[in-house]
Amino acid sequence: SSKGKGKGKGGPRRNVPSFKEWSVETKTEWELKQEIMLHSLSKLQVDHRLVEFKDLLWAGKLHNFNRVFDRVTTKTSMPVKRFQDLQFFSVTTSDDPHLQQFLTEDE
């Protein structure tokens, strides 16, 4: 393999969607809140007081955090136990059934 500046760069990023692969399809009926030019996106600051939000759904379960793990170092190790009753899901926004339901209800 060759090493040096610029070698192996510029190829497609793995597991990162491009701008061509939108996770949510936009609709013409949606009200435009603000238009942001791509070149100014890195300088953008959002005033958090102007952001409106509401909880649409509470799903899943969050277990208590054991604070003992905050003090684990390389010298004070602690075995980690696996939760046998947990299932982990990696769902994209386009495959999320709850998001699809919210989008169809909004029509």
Side-chain angles (χ1 to χ4, degrees), residues 18-31 92-96 99-100 102-104 106-107:
S18 71
F19 282 111
K20 295 178 184 175
E21 301 166 0
W22 298 108
S23 60
V24 176
E25 187 177 333
T26 58
K27 303 204 180 203
T28 56
E29 304 88 39
W30 289 359
E31 177 187 344
T92 62
T93 52
S94 56
D95 294 334
D96 185 343
L99 184 59
Q100 294 298 327
F102 293 134
L103 290 174
T104 55
D106 194 36
E107 290 180 13

Side-chain angles (χ1 to χ4, degrees), residues 11-91:
R13 295 176 292 172
R14 293 188 178 126
N15 299 325
V16 177
S18 71
F19 282 111
K20 295 178 184 175
E21 301 166 0
W22 298 108
S23 60
V24 176
E25 187 177 333
T26 58
K27 303 204 180 203
T28 56
E29 304 88 39
W30 289 359
E31 177 187 344
L32 178 66
K33 296 286 186 178
Q34 183 177 5
E35 188 170 350
I36 303 169
M37 301 309 290
L38 186 59
H39 67 274
S40 64
L41 194 57
S42 62
K43 303 172 194 165
L44 181 66
Q45 292 185 358
V46 177
D47 186 355
H48 69 280
R49 295 169 293 189
L50 301 177
V51 176
E52 297 176 16
F53 63 90
K54 68 177 179 175
D55 291 329
L56 298 176
L57 173 73
W58 281 80
K61 180 179 180 181
L62 184 62
H63 291 275
N64 291 332
F65 178 72
N66 187 346
R67 297 246 178 238
V68 174
F69 288 105
D70 278 340
R71 295 186 270 310
V72 172
T73 67
T74 55
K75 294 180 181 178
T76 60
S77 64
M78 180 174 214
V80 178
K81 297 180 211 166
R82 177 179 288 278
F83 285 104
Q84 297 299 329
D85 62 335
L86 293 183
Q87 295 179 359
F88 294 92
F89 301 99
S90 179
V91 180

